[in-house]
mmCIF file with all atom_site columns, all heavy atoms in Angstrom:
data_model
loop_
_atom_site.group_PDB
_atom_site.id
_atom_site.type_symbol
_atom_site.label_atom_id
_atom_site.label_alt_id
_atom_site.label_comp_id
_atom_site.label_asym_id
_atom_site.label_entity_id
_atom_site.label_seq_id
_atom_site.pdbx_PDB_ins_code
_atom_site.Cartn_x
_atom_site.Cartn_y
_atom_site.Cartn_z
_atom_site.occupancy
_atom_site.B_iso_or_equiv
_atom_site.pdbx_formal_charge
_atom_site.auth_seq_id
_atom_site.auth_comp_id
_atom_site.auth_asym_id
_atom_site.auth_atom_id
_atom_site.pdbx_PDB_model_num
ATOM 1  N N   . ALA C 1 181 ? 51.842 -45.111 26.930 1.00 91.00 ? 206 ALA C N   1
ATOM 2  C CA  . ALA C 1 181 ? 52.126 -45.970 25.794 1.00 91.00 ? 206 ALA C CA  1
ATOM 3  C C   . ALA C 1 181 ? 52.400 -45.212 24.518 1.00 91.00 ? 206 ALA C C   1
ATOM 4  O O   . ALA C 1 181 ? 53.345 -45.462 23.746 1.00 91.00 ? 206 ALA C O   1
ATOM 5  C CB  . ALA C 1 181 ? 50.972 -46.993 25.572 1.00 91.00 ? 206 ALA C CB  1
ATOM 6  N N   . LYS C 1 182 ? 51.699 -44.127 24.327 1.00 90.00 ? 207 LYS C N   1
ATOM 7  C CA  . LYS C 1 182 ? 51.865 -43.280 23.075 1.00 90.00 ? 207 LYS C CA  1
ATOM 8  C C   . LYS C 1 182 ? 53.182 -42.610 23.091 1.00 90.00 ? 207 LYS C C   1
ATOM 9  O O   . LYS C 1 182 ? 53.869 -42.426 22.002 1.00 90.00 ? 207 LYS C O   1
ATOM 10 C CB  . LYS C 1 182 ? 50.676 -42.242 22.987 1.00 90.00 ? 207 LYS C CB  1
ATOM 11 C CG  . LYS C 1 182 ? 49.403 -42.976 22.473 1.00 90.00 ? 207 LYS C CG  1
ATOM 12 C CD  . LYS C 1 182 ? 48.382 -41.984 22.064 1.00 90.00 ? 207 LYS C CD  1
ATOM 13 C CE  . LYS C 1 182 ? 47.807 -41.235 23.269 1.00 90.00 ? 207 LYS C CE  1
ATOM 14 N NZ  . LYS C 1 182 ? 46.619 -40.417 22.910 1.00 90.00 ? 207 LYS C NZ  1
ATOM 15 N N   . GLU C 1 183 ? 53.581 -42.142 24.322 1.00 91.00 ? 208 GLU C N   1
ATOM 16 C CA  . GLU C 1 183 ? 54.959 -41.496 24.501 1.00 91.00 ? 208 GLU C CA  1
ATOM 17 C C   . GLU C 1 183 ? 56.007 -42.415 24.268 1.00 91.00 ? 208 GLU C C   1
ATOM 18 O O   . GLU C 1 183 ? 56.984 -42.091 23.580 1.00 91.00 ? 208 GLU C O   1
ATOM 19 C CB  . GLU C 1 183 ? 55.011 -40.917 25.899 1.00 91.00 ? 208 GLU C CB  1
ATOM 20 C CG  . GLU C 1 183 ? 54.123 -39.721 26.163 1.00 91.00 ? 208 GLU C CG  1
ATOM 21 C CD  . GLU C 1 183 ? 54.487 -38.554 25.276 1.00 91.00 ? 208 GLU C CD  1
ATOM 22 O OE1 . GLU C 1 183 ? 55.704 -38.074 25.166 1.00 91.00 ? 208 GLU C OE1 1
ATOM 23 O OE2 . GLU C 1 183 ? 53.499 -38.088 24.450 1.00 91.00 ? 208 GLU C OE2 1
ATOM 24 N N   . PHE C 1 184 ? 55.953 -43.646 24.795 1.00 90.00 ? 209 PHE C N   1
ATOM 25 C CA  . PHE C 1 184 ? 56.951 -44.708 24.471 1.00 90.00 ? 209 PHE C CA  1
ATOM 26 C C   . PHE C 1 184 ? 57.101 -45.110 23.101 1.00 90.00 ? 209 PHE C C   1
ATOM 27 O O   . PHE C 1 184 ? 58.103 -45.214 22.437 1.00 90.00 ? 209 PHE C O   1
ATOM 28 C CB  . PHE C 1 184 ? 56.689 -45.944 25.344 1.00 90.00 ? 209 PHE C CB  1
ATOM 29 C CG  . PHE C 1 184 ? 56.909 -45.734 26.856 1.00 90.00 ? 209 PHE C CG  1
ATOM 30 C CD1 . PHE C 1 184 ? 55.961 -46.312 27.765 1.00 90.00 ? 209 PHE C CD1 1
ATOM 31 C CD2 . PHE C 1 184 ? 57.933 -45.084 27.317 1.00 90.00 ? 209 PHE C CD2 1
ATOM 32 C CE1 . PHE C 1 184 ? 56.145 -46.217 29.131 1.00 90.00 ? 209 PHE C CE1 1
ATOM 33 C CE2 . PHE C 1 184 ? 58.081 -44.884 28.705 1.00 90.00 ? 209 PHE C CE2 1
ATOM 34 C CZ  . PHE C 1 184 ? 57.288 -45.435 29.613 1.00 90.00 ? 209 PHE C CZ  1
ATOM 35 N N   . LEU C 1 185 ? 55.846 -45.194 22.449 1.00 88.00 ? 210 LEU C N   1
ATOM 36 C CA  . LEU C 1 185 ? 55.804 -45.575 21.033 1.00 88.00 ? 210 LEU C CA  1
ATOM 37 C C   . LEU C 1 185 ? 56.423 -44.460 20.170 1.00 88.00 ? 210 LEU C C   1
ATOM 38 O O   . LEU C 1 185 ? 57.211 -44.821 19.249 1.00 88.00 ? 210 LEU C O   1
ATOM 39 C CB  . LEU C 1 185 ? 54.353 -45.830 20.634 1.00 88.00 ? 210 LEU C CB  1
ATOM 40 C CG  . LEU C 1 185 ? 54.114 -46.107 19.112 1.00 88.00 ? 210 LEU C CG  1
ATOM 41 C CD1 . LEU C 1 185 ? 54.808 -47.404 18.784 1.00 88.00 ? 210 LEU C CD1 1
ATOM 42 C CD2 . LEU C 1 185 ? 52.640 -46.242 18.785 1.00 88.00 ? 210 LEU C CD2 1
ATOM 43 N N   . LYS C 1 186 ? 56.129 -43.284 20.501 1.00 88.00 ? 211 LYS C N   1
ATOM 44 C CA  . LYS C 1 186 ? 56.693 -42.072 19.747 1.00 88.00 ? 211 LYS C CA  1
ATOM 45 C C   . LYS C 1 186 ? 58.196 -41.986 19.761 1.00 88.00 ? 211 LYS C C   1
ATOM 46 O O   . LYS C 1 186 ? 58.921 -41.889 18.839 1.00 88.00 ? 211 LYS C O   1
ATOM 47 C CB  . LYS C 1 186 ? 56.168 -40.729 20.277 1.00 88.00 ? 211 LYS C CB  1
ATOM 48 C CG  . LYS C 1 186 ? 56.573 -39.546 19.541 1.00 88.00 ? 211 LYS C CG  1
ATOM 49 C CD  . LYS C 1 186 ? 55.915 -38.295 19.995 1.00 88.00 ? 211 LYS C CD  1
ATOM 50 C CE  . LYS C 1 186 ? 56.318 -37.057 19.213 1.00 88.00 ? 211 LYS C CE  1
ATOM 51 N NZ  . LYS C 1 186 ? 55.679 -35.889 19.745 1.00 88.00 ? 211 LYS C NZ  1
ATOM 52 N N   . HIS C 1 187 ? 58.731 -42.523 20.970 1.00 88.00 ? 212 HIS C N   1
ATOM 53 C CA  . HIS C 1 187 ? 60.171 -42.437 21.285 1.00 88.00 ? 212 HIS C CA  1
ATOM 54 C C   . HIS C 1 187 ? 60.779 -43.610 20.307 1.00 88.00 ? 212 HIS C C   1
ATOM 55 O O   . HIS C 1 187 ? 61.850 -43.335 19.747 1.00 88.00 ? 212 HIS C O   1
ATOM 56 C CB  . HIS C 1 187 ? 60.489 -42.784 22.775 1.00 88.00 ? 212 HIS C CB  1
ATOM 57 C CG  . HIS C 1 187 ? 61.909 -42.851 23.033 1.00 88.00 ? 212 HIS C CG  1
ATOM 58 N ND1 . HIS C 1 187 ? 62.759 -41.717 22.988 1.00 88.00 ? 212 HIS C ND1 1
ATOM 59 C CD2 . HIS C 1 187 ? 62.706 -43.965 23.252 1.00 88.00 ? 212 HIS C CD2 1
ATOM 60 C CE1 . HIS C 1 187 ? 63.978 -42.251 23.268 1.00 88.00 ? 212 HIS C CE1 1
ATOM 61 N NE2 . HIS C 1 187 ? 63.951 -43.604 23.474 1.00 88.00 ? 212 HIS C NE2 1
#
Side-chain angles (χ1 to χ4, degrees):
K207 287 191 287 187
E208 290 298 305
F209 290 141
L210 178 61
K211 184 176 181 179
H212 178 73

